[in-house]
Every structure is written in C-alpha cells, then in structure tokens.
Amino acid sequence: MKATEAADLLVRAGEDPWTAEELGQVRRQLEEETSFQREELAQNESELTERLADPVEGAGDDTADTGAKAFQREHDLALAYNTRDLLAQSEKAIERMDAGTYGVCESCGRAIGKARLQAFPRATLCVPCKQREERR
C-alpha cells in the first residue's frame, strides 16, 4: 500500500496517521499468520483423515481408551475450528486493507485505534464496541 493510501486510513483523534511502513509491517504479520494457519490446517486435516480412515482403529479398546480417543478427536476438531476462524479473520483484515476500510469499527464506524490494530491486527471493533459485545 502506498504511503498516501496508508495515511488515508481512519485513526483515532490524537494518533498519527498510518505510514506505509507501519501498515506493511502489520500486513506482513497477517500474511505470515495466514500462511502458518493454512499449513496447520492442512496438517490437522491430514492427521484426522488418517485416523478416521483406519477401519480397525480402536478395535479391542476398553471403555477408557475409547473415551480418551474420542476426547482427543474432539479436542483436535476444536483446535482445527479455531485455526479456521483465525485464518478467516486474518484474511478479512487483509481484504479490509486492500479495500481501504482497515481500522474502521464494523459496529459504529469510528476508528478502532492504531495501537489496538498493531497489537491485534484482526480487530474489527473499537474498544467500546468490543466491551459492549462482551457484556451481552
């Protein structure tokens, strides 16, 4: 993103405008995370497919072993779901950068805050809106 485009992104009162370097750093972080998350998902799905495809997996196990394996499978599925969710959030943040809407709260339309986005680049809500959402 060019310096003029970065400077056009919404910031809170008292904050300096985004520089191309700052935005580039956040974008690189998001792109690295998406790459890692895609690899992690592929690995998780491969392992899960192997376990589910084995027809004799668990044959002869006692009840405790069966329960432990079911718990592990549910845990692995929950982690994969979380990774998929983080991947979608990261991709959405990159799309918002490309669209020029990065840093705009999806709820109220005000600036999210540059410091918040540098700490948590996937943020889509400003602090007051996020607090309101969490109280519900």
Side-chain angles (χ1 to χ4, degrees):
M1 183 170 266
K2 298 175 187 168
T4 55
E5 293 171 339
D8 291 339
L9 293 177
L10 194 59
V11 293
R12 292 175 51 196
E15 289 182 329
D16 293 330
W18 283 95
T19 65
E21 182 180 315
E22 290 170 332
L23 196 60
Q25 183 178 4
V26 171
R27 186 183 188 100
R28 282 188 298 279
Q29 178 184 350
L30 286 166
E31 288 172 345
E32 287 172 9
E33 287 176 8
T34 58
S35 176
F36 174 77
Q37 291 159 346
R38 283 187 184 110
E39 290 172 14
E40 189 174 345
L41 269 176
Q43 181 181 356
N44 288 346
E45 288 173 357
S46 172
E47 291 172 3
L48 192 59
T49 301
E50 285 178 26
R51 269 192 253 144
L52 294 175
D54 187 0
V56 293
E57 159 75 32
D61 285 351
D62 66 10
T63 308
D65 288 339
T66 303
K69 287 179 181 178
F71 176 80
Q72 183 63 44
R73 195 169 35 251
E74 288 176 18
H75 177 73
D76 292 345
L77 285 170
L79 289 175
Y81 178 77
N82 186 49
T83 302
R84 236 182 242 111
D85 188 42
L86 288 173
L87 176 60
Q89 290 176 19
S90 297
E91 289 173 339
K92 184 177 178 183
I94 292 170
E95 289 171 10
R96 289 171 54 125
M97 283 181 186
D98 292 340
T101 59
Y102 188 68
V104 178
C105 178
E106 290 184 340
S107 179
C108 68
R110 289 180 284 204
I112 292 173
K114 189 171 154 182
R116 175 168 166 71
L117 289 168
Q118 287 173 322
F120 185 68
R122 293 179 301 277
T124 59
L125 299 173
C126 63
V127 173
C129 289
K130 184 64 176 175
Q131 289 172 335
R132 192 171 31 257
E133 179 187 86
E134 289 177 353
R135 282 193 294 258
R136 292 182 195 171

PDB file of all heavy atoms in Angstrom, residues 62-80:
ATOM      1  N   ASP A  62     -10.644 -50.788  25.548  1.00  0.00           N
ATOM      2  CA  ASP A  62     -11.627 -50.779  26.628  1.00  0.00           C
ATOM      3  C   ASP A  62     -12.335 -49.425  26.640  1.00  0.00           C
ATOM      4  O   ASP A  62     -12.018 -48.526  25.870  1.00  0.00           O
ATOM      5  CB  ASP A  62     -10.987 -51.104  27.975  1.00  0.00           C
ATOM      6  CG  ASP A  62      -9.994 -50.060  28.459  1.00  0.00           C
ATOM      7  OD1 ASP A  62      -9.924 -48.972  27.857  1.00  0.00           O
ATOM      8  OD2 ASP A  62      -9.294 -50.333  29.449  1.00  0.00           O
ATOM      9  N   THR A  63     -13.290 -49.264  27.501  1.00  0.00           N
ATOM     10  CA  THR A  63     -14.119 -48.057  27.542  1.00  0.00           C
ATOM     11  C   THR A  63     -13.303 -46.804  27.798  1.00  0.00           C
ATOM     12  O   THR A  63     -13.542 -45.756  27.183  1.00  0.00           O
ATOM     13  CB  THR A  63     -15.196 -48.209  28.637  1.00  0.00           C
ATOM     14  OG1 THR A  63     -15.883 -49.439  28.439  1.00  0.00           O
ATOM     15  CG2 THR A  63     -16.188 -47.078  28.594  1.00  0.00           C
ATOM     16  N   ALA A  64     -12.324 -46.886  28.678  1.00  0.00           N
ATOM     17  CA  ALA A  64     -11.497 -45.717  28.990  1.00  0.00           C
ATOM     18  C   ALA A  64     -10.680 -45.274  27.779  1.00  0.00           C
ATOM     19  O   ALA A  64     -10.566 -44.072  27.499  1.00  0.00           O
ATOM     20  CB  ALA A  64     -10.571 -46.022  30.165  1.00  0.00           C
ATOM     21  N   ASP A  65     -10.123 -46.240  27.052  1.00  0.00           N
ATOM     22  CA  ASP A  65      -9.351 -45.904  25.848  1.00  0.00           C
ATOM     23  C   ASP A  65     -10.245 -45.264  24.787  1.00  0.00           C
ATOM     24  O   ASP A  65      -9.858 -44.290  24.145  1.00  0.00           O
ATOM     25  CB  ASP A  65      -8.687 -47.154  25.261  1.00  0.00           C
ATOM     26  CG  ASP A  65      -7.529 -47.660  26.107  1.00  0.00           C
ATOM     27  OD1 ASP A  65      -6.994 -46.867  26.893  1.00  0.00           O
ATOM     28  OD2 ASP A  65      -7.183 -48.848  25.969  1.00  0.00           O
ATOM     29  N   THR A  66     -11.433 -45.817  24.624  1.00  0.00           N
ATOM     30  CA  THR A  66     -12.369 -45.274  23.654  1.00  0.00           C
ATOM     31  C   THR A  66     -12.743 -43.844  24.012  1.00  0.00           C
ATOM     32  O   THR A  66     -12.776 -42.960  23.152  1.00  0.00           O
ATOM     33  CB  THR A  66     -13.642 -46.148  23.573  1.00  0.00           C
ATOM     34  OG1 THR A  66     -13.252 -47.479  23.241  1.00  0.00           O
ATOM     35  CG2 THR A  66     -14.607 -45.619  22.538  1.00  0.00           C
ATOM     36  N   GLY A  67     -13.006 -43.601  25.296  1.00  0.00           N
ATOM     37  CA  GLY A  67     -13.348 -42.251  25.754  1.00  0.00           C
ATOM     38  C   GLY A  67     -12.199 -41.282  25.569  1.00  0.00           C
ATOM     39  O   GLY A  67     -12.404 -40.139  25.137  1.00  0.00           O
ATOM     40  N   ALA A  68     -10.992 -41.720  25.873  1.00  0.00           N
ATOM     41  CA  ALA A  68      -9.815 -40.859  25.722  1.00  0.00           C
ATOM     42  C   ALA A  68      -9.587 -40.499  24.256  1.00  0.00           C
ATOM     43  O   ALA A  68      -9.265 -39.352  23.933  1.00  0.00           O
ATOM     44  CB  ALA A  68      -8.581 -41.550  26.296  1.00  0.00           C
ATOM     45  N   LYS A  69      -9.777 -41.475  23.375  1.00  0.00           N
ATOM     46  CA  LYS A  69      -9.600 -41.209  21.941  1.00  0.00           C
ATOM     47  C   LYS A  69     -10.689 -40.271  21.424  1.00  0.00           C
ATOM     48  O   LYS A  69     -10.414 -39.401  20.601  1.00  0.00           O
ATOM     49  CB  LYS A  69      -9.589 -42.512  21.148  1.00  0.00           C
ATOM     50  CG  LYS A  69      -8.313 -43.300  21.337  1.00  0.00           C
ATOM     51  CD  LYS A  69      -8.323 -44.589  20.575  1.00  0.00           C
ATOM     52  CE  LYS A  69      -7.034 -45.357  20.826  1.00  0.00           C
ATOM     53  NZ  LYS A  69      -7.019 -46.643  20.126  1.00  0.00           N
ATOM     54  N   ALA A  70     -11.908 -40.439  21.903  1.00  0.00           N
ATOM     55  CA  ALA A  70     -12.997 -39.547  21.488  1.00  0.00           C
ATOM     56  C   ALA A  70     -12.720 -38.130  21.970  1.00  0.00           C
ATOM     57  O   ALA A  70     -12.934 -37.161  21.236  1.00  0.00           O
ATOM     58  CB  ALA A  70     -14.326 -40.046  22.033  1.00  0.00           C
ATOM     59  N   PHE A  71     -12.229 -38.004  23.202  1.00  0.00           N
ATOM     60  CA  PHE A  71     -11.896 -36.679  23.746  1.00  0.00           C
ATOM     61  C   PHE A  71     -10.790 -36.033  22.915  1.00  0.00           C
ATOM     62  O   PHE A  71     -10.863 -34.856  22.585  1.00  0.00           O
ATOM     63  CB  PHE A  71     -11.457 -36.792  25.208  1.00  0.00           C
ATOM     64  CG  PHE A  71     -11.012 -35.490  25.789  1.00  0.00           C
ATOM     65  CD1 PHE A  71     -11.945 -34.556  26.230  1.00  0.00           C
ATOM     66  CD2 PHE A  71      -9.664 -35.171  25.876  1.00  0.00           C
ATOM     67  CE1 PHE A  71     -11.542 -33.338  26.751  1.00  0.00           C
ATOM     68  CE2 PHE A  71      -9.248 -33.953  26.399  1.00  0.00           C
ATOM     69  CZ  PHE A  71     -10.188 -33.035  26.838  1.00  0.00           C
ATOM     70  N   GLN A  72      -9.761 -36.790  22.573  1.00  0.00           N
ATOM     71  CA  GLN A  72      -8.653 -36.266  21.775  1.00  0.00           C
ATOM     72  C   GLN A  72      -9.126 -35.832  20.396  1.00  0.00           C
ATOM     73  O   GLN A  72      -8.734 -34.781  19.883  1.00  0.00           O
ATOM     74  CB  GLN A  72      -7.532 -37.310  21.639  1.00  0.00           C
ATOM     75  CG  GLN A  72      -6.321 -36.814  20.901  1.00  0.00           C
ATOM     76  CD  GLN A  72      -5.635 -35.660  21.614  1.00  0.00           C
ATOM     77  OE1 GLN A  72      -5.455 -35.692  22.818  1.00  0.00           O
ATOM     78  NE2 GLN A  72      -5.257 -34.629  20.874  1.00  0.00           N
ATOM     79  N   ARG A  73     -10.012 -36.621  19.797  1.00  0.00           N
ATOM     80  CA  ARG A  73     -10.543 -36.291  18.476  1.00  0.00           C
ATOM     81  C   ARG A  73     -11.358 -34.988  18.553  1.00  0.00           C
ATOM     82  O   ARG A  73     -11.213 -34.115  17.702  1.00  0.00           O
ATOM     83  CB  ARG A  73     -11.396 -37.448  17.959  1.00  0.00           C
ATOM     84  CG  ARG A  73     -11.716 -37.402  16.507  1.00  0.00           C
ATOM     85  CD  ARG A  73     -12.334 -38.684  15.949  1.00  0.00           C
ATOM     86  NE  ARG A  73     -13.215 -39.403  16.846  1.00  0.00           N
ATOM     87  CZ  ARG A  73     -12.922 -40.580  17.435  1.00  0.00           C
ATOM     88  NH1 ARG A  73     -11.776 -41.167  17.220  1.00  0.00           N
ATOM     89  NH2 ARG A  73     -13.788 -41.172  18.235  1.00  0.00           N
ATOM     90  N   GLU A  74     -12.189 -34.835  19.582  1.00  0.00           N
ATOM     91  CA  GLU A  74     -12.971 -33.612  19.756  1.00  0.00           C
ATOM     92  C   GLU A  74     -12.062 -32.414  20.004  1.00  0.00           C
ATOM     93  O   GLU A  74     -12.319 -31.322  19.500  1.00  0.00           O
ATOM     94  CB  GLU A  74     -13.960 -33.772  20.909  1.00  0.00           C
ATOM     95  CG  GLU A  74     -15.111 -34.692  20.581  1.00  0.00           C
ATOM     96  CD  GLU A  74     -16.037 -34.909  21.768  1.00  0.00           C
ATOM     97  OE1 GLU A  74     -16.003 -34.109  22.727  1.00  0.00           O
ATOM     98  OE2 GLU A  74     -16.791 -35.894  21.734  1.00  0.00           O
ATOM     99  N   HIS A  75     -10.995 -32.624  20.765  1.00  0.00           N
ATOM    100  CA  HIS A  75     -10.026 -31.561  21.032  1.00  0.00           C
ATOM    101  C   HIS A  75      -9.352 -31.129  19.723  1.00  0.00           C
ATOM    102  O   HIS A  75      -9.220 -29.933  19.458  1.00  0.00           O
ATOM    103  CB  HIS A  75      -8.997 -32.050  22.050  1.00  0.00           C
ATOM    104  CG  HIS A  75      -7.915 -31.073  22.356  1.00  0.00           C
ATOM    105  ND1 HIS A  75      -8.131 -29.948  23.110  1.00  0.00           N
ATOM    106  CD2 HIS A  75      -6.617 -31.039  21.986  1.00  0.00           C
ATOM    107  CE1 HIS A  75      -7.007 -29.258  23.201  1.00  0.00           C
ATOM    108  NE2 HIS A  75      -6.072 -29.906  22.536  1.00  0.00           N
ATOM    109  N   ASP A  76      -8.944 -32.091  18.928  1.00  0.00           N
ATOM    110  CA  ASP A  76      -8.303 -31.786  17.644  1.00  0.00           C
ATOM    111  C   ASP A  76      -9.259 -31.045  16.707  1.00  0.00           C
ATOM    112  O   ASP A  76      -8.852 -30.103  16.015  1.00  0.00           O
ATOM    113  CB  ASP A  76      -7.809 -33.069  16.966  1.00  0.00           C
ATOM    114  CG  ASP A  76      -6.650 -33.715  17.710  1.00  0.00           C
ATOM    115  OD1 ASP A  76      -6.042 -33.049  18.574  1.00  0.00           O
ATOM    116  OD2 ASP A  76      -6.365 -34.908  17.447  1.00  0.00           O
ATOM    117  N   LEU A  77     -10.512 -31.442  16.701  1.00  0.00           N
ATOM    118  CA  LEU A  77     -11.505 -30.761  15.872  1.00  0.00           C
ATOM    119  C   LEU A  77     -11.728 -29.324  16.344  1.00  0.00           C
ATOM    120  O   LEU A  77     -11.858 -28.407  15.529  1.00  0.00           O
ATOM    121  CB  LEU A  77     -12.832 -31.520  15.880  1.00  0.00           C
ATOM    122  CG  LEU A  77     -12.866 -32.802  15.052  1.00  0.00           C
ATOM    123  CD1 LEU A  77     -14.144 -33.597  15.332  1.00  0.00           C
ATOM    124  CD2 LEU A  77     -12.758 -32.490  13.575  1.00  0.00           C
ATOM    125  N   ALA A  78     -11.751 -29.116  17.662  1.00  0.00           N
ATOM    126  CA  ALA A  78     -11.926 -27.770  18.205  1.00  0.00           C
ATOM    127  C   ALA A  78     -10.743 -26.882  17.832  1.00  0.00           C
ATOM    128  O   ALA A  78     -10.918 -25.708  17.474  1.00  0.00           O
ATOM    129  CB  ALA A  78     -12.095 -27.821  19.720  1.00  0.00           C
ATOM    130  N   LEU A  79      -9.533 -27.420  17.895  1.00  0.00           N
ATOM    131  CA  LEU A  79      -8.351 -26.654  17.506  1.00  0.00           C
ATOM    132  C   LEU A  79      -8.385 -26.314  16.021  1.00  0.00           C
ATOM    133  O   LEU A  79      -8.041 -25.193  15.624  1.00  0.00           O
ATOM    134  CB  LEU A  79      -7.069 -27.428  17.840  1.00  0.00           C
ATOM    135  CG  LEU A  79      -6.728 -27.547  19.320  1.00  0.00           C
ATOM    136  CD1 LEU A  79      -5.499 -28.435  19.512  1.00  0.00           C
ATOM    137  CD2 LEU A  79      -6.498 -26.183  19.943  1.00  0.00           C
ATOM    138  N   ALA A  80      -8.804 -27.263  15.210  1.00  0.00           N
ATOM    139  CA  ALA A  80      -8.897 -27.009  13.765  1.00  0.00           C
ATOM    140  C   ALA A  80      -9.948 -25.935  13.487  1.00  0.00           C
ATOM    141  O   ALA A  80      -9.733 -25.048  12.649  1.00  0.00           O
ATOM    142  CB  ALA A  80      -9.235 -28.298  13.015  1.00  0.00           C
TER     143      ALA A  80
END
